[in-house]
Amino acid sequence: MTRKIIIDTDPGQDDAVAILLALASPELDVLGITAVAGNVPLPLTQKNARIVCELAGRTDVKVFAGCDAPLERPLVTAEYVHGKTGLDGPELPDPTMPLQDAHAVDFIIDTLRDEPSGSVTLCPLGPLTNIATAFSRAPDIVDRVQQIVLMGGAYFEVGNVTPAAEFNIYVDPQAADIVFKSGVDIVVMPLDVTHKALVTKARNDAFRALETKVGIAVAQMTDFFERFDREKYGSDGAPLHDPCVTAFLIAPDLFTGRRVNVAVETRSDLTLGMTVADWWGVTDRAPNALFIGDVDSDGLFALLTARLGRL
Ligand code: RIB
Ligand code: CA
């Protein structure tokens, strides 16, 4: 039984790898890819999503452009990490596959209404603007969502864009607040786990050793992507954030976490976008998310490399 998913994304090299993993995995049926402004502005994220689909040989995948700015705040981007194109590293051709005419938010709403209730999982890999806009515009779809598996947030690992906040949540905290309060069954892949998914040299070499267009491109993407994080964290490779989302859908046993309440700071200048995880249950706030804290990283990269080798 394949699992129907919508990938909401701001490619970004790690988004690209997450999309490739999904497209290489028969367990997943990608109903569509919805682009959102985040790592780079929307014109680039929607273009990069199509570049990645063409790299995978999947020009059949529907790609939609969504929101070009957060709900209430000015857009913050991350070219310093991802490069000016958002997909720096490999030399990939401009896409020829079309961008869908419909707005991404309308696609999300229509798909959740048209597919059987509880049969579609949303996989946000960037700021939650598209998801929150869809929920606000069409509240009837909230109960029809099977699950949300998202990359975002941080607790014990602290923030990456401010001392308190992770980038996806920080860019649009109001959207994140709507999603975390929606009542949908949520699985969170925070920095707490993604910082354990490090692209070491051996793992990058394994991508390159596939000796395929995809394998070499992924090795070049992660080479580019990691130069910033390796210097910042002094770690043995850069964290590969977004593929944790699609890997969880394929092999959930690679991950462990705890169901806790996660609340989002939407007002404080000091801690805006912080995901406050009630890890010890010291409040009366009901648990609303499975907050993932650990991963079998060797198992993750073995799965990822094997699947990329199929493209
Ligand atoms: O903080 C990491 C997240 O921000 C990842 O999704 C990365 O692609 C960027 O969107
Ligand atoms: Ca992303």
Side-chain angles (χ1 to χ4, degrees):
M1 177 80 166
T2 58
R3 186 161 180 178
K4 293 175 183 173
I5 67 171
I6 294 173
I7 299 174
D8 191 69
T9 179
D10 64 336
Q13 290 88 347
D14 60 319
D15 301 68
V17 181
I19 293 167
L20 290 168
L21 175 56
L23 296 179
S25 299
E27 300 90 336
L28 302 178
D29 176 6
V30 180
L31 300 179
I33 295 178
T34 52
V36 67
N39 283 320
V40 286
L42 181 69
L44 284 174
T45 58
Q46 60 89 340
K47 174 184 174 186
N48 291 342
R50 290 184 287 143
I51 286 174
V52 174
C53 288
E54 292 194 348
L55 174 63
R58 292 292 306 278
T59 55
D60 60 300
V61 175
K62 293 189 178 73
V63 175
F64 300 83
C67 298
D68 62 2
L71 297 184
E72 296 181 16
R73 296 177 50 78
L75 177 63
V76 171
T77 54
E79 287 86 350
Y80 58 92
V81 177
H82 299 275
K84 64 179 175 25
T85 72
L87 214 48
D88 283 23
E91 287 299 318
L92 295 171
D94 282 353
T96 56
M97 68 184 279
L99 178 71
Q100 299 298 309
D101 294 336
H103 190 284
V105 171
D106 293 327
F107 170 73
I108 292 167
I109 293 170
D110 293 346
T111 302
L112 284 166
R113 286 176 173 162
D114 295 344
E115 294 292 335
S117 182
S119 68
V120 177
T121 293
L122 302 178
C123 303
L125 309 178
L128 290 162
T129 318
N130 285 343
I131 310 300
T133 303
F135 284 5
S136 302
R137 195 182 298 169
D140 61 288
I141 67 172
V142 174
D143 291 341
R144 301 181 64 84
V145 179
Q146 177 180 40
Q147 190 173 55
I148 291 175
V149 184
L150 67 87
M151 192 279 140
Y155 193 59
F156 294 104
E157 187 66 14
V158 302
N160 58 1
V161 67
T162 74
E166 176 277 327
F167 179 81
N168 288 340
I169 309 299
Y170 176 76
V171 169
D172 199 340
Q174 281 71 24
D177 188 43
I178 289 169
V179 171
F180 277 95
K181 286 177 178 169
S182 69
V184 174
D185 175 15
I186 299 174
V187 178
V188 182
M189 292 289 164
L191 299 180
D192 303 63
V193 65
T194 68
H195 278 196
K196 296 174 182 172
L198 299 179
V199 186
T200 61
K201 185 176 183 322
R203 289 165 178 169
N204 188 278
D205 289 346
F207 294 148
R208 208 177 295 276
L210 290 171
E211 294 184 343
T212 59
K213 192 165 53 115
V214 168
I216 290 164
V218 167
Q220 291 170 332
M221 283 184 206
T222 50
D223 264 344
F224 180 88
F225 175 75
E226 77 171 17
R227 84 215 186 290
F228 176 82
D229 281 340
R230 188 190 278 270
E231 190 177 317
K232 175 176 175 180
Y233 298 111
S235 51
D236 181 24
L240 199 54
H241 308 284
D242 294 337
C244 289
V245 169
T246 29
F248 177 83
L249 294 169
I250 300 161
D253 294 345
L254 291 173
F255 298 87
T256 54
R258 179 184 295 187
R259 270 196 68 76
V260 295
N261 177 272
V262 177
V264 179
E265 176 56 62
T266 58
R267 291 188 297 271
S268 157
D269 289 339
L270 180 62
T271 58
L272 185 71
M274 180 176 182
T275 47
V276 181
D278 183 4
W279 196 257
W280 302 113
V282 296
T283 75
D284 59 359
R285 297 195 295 261
N288 59 347
L290 176 62
F291 199 80
I292 301 294
D294 209 352
V295 60
D296 165 3
S297 54
D298 285 334
L300 170 65
F301 279 88
L303 171 71
L304 176 56
T305 307
R307 292 296 168 95
L308 293 174
R310 297 185 181 190
L311 293 175

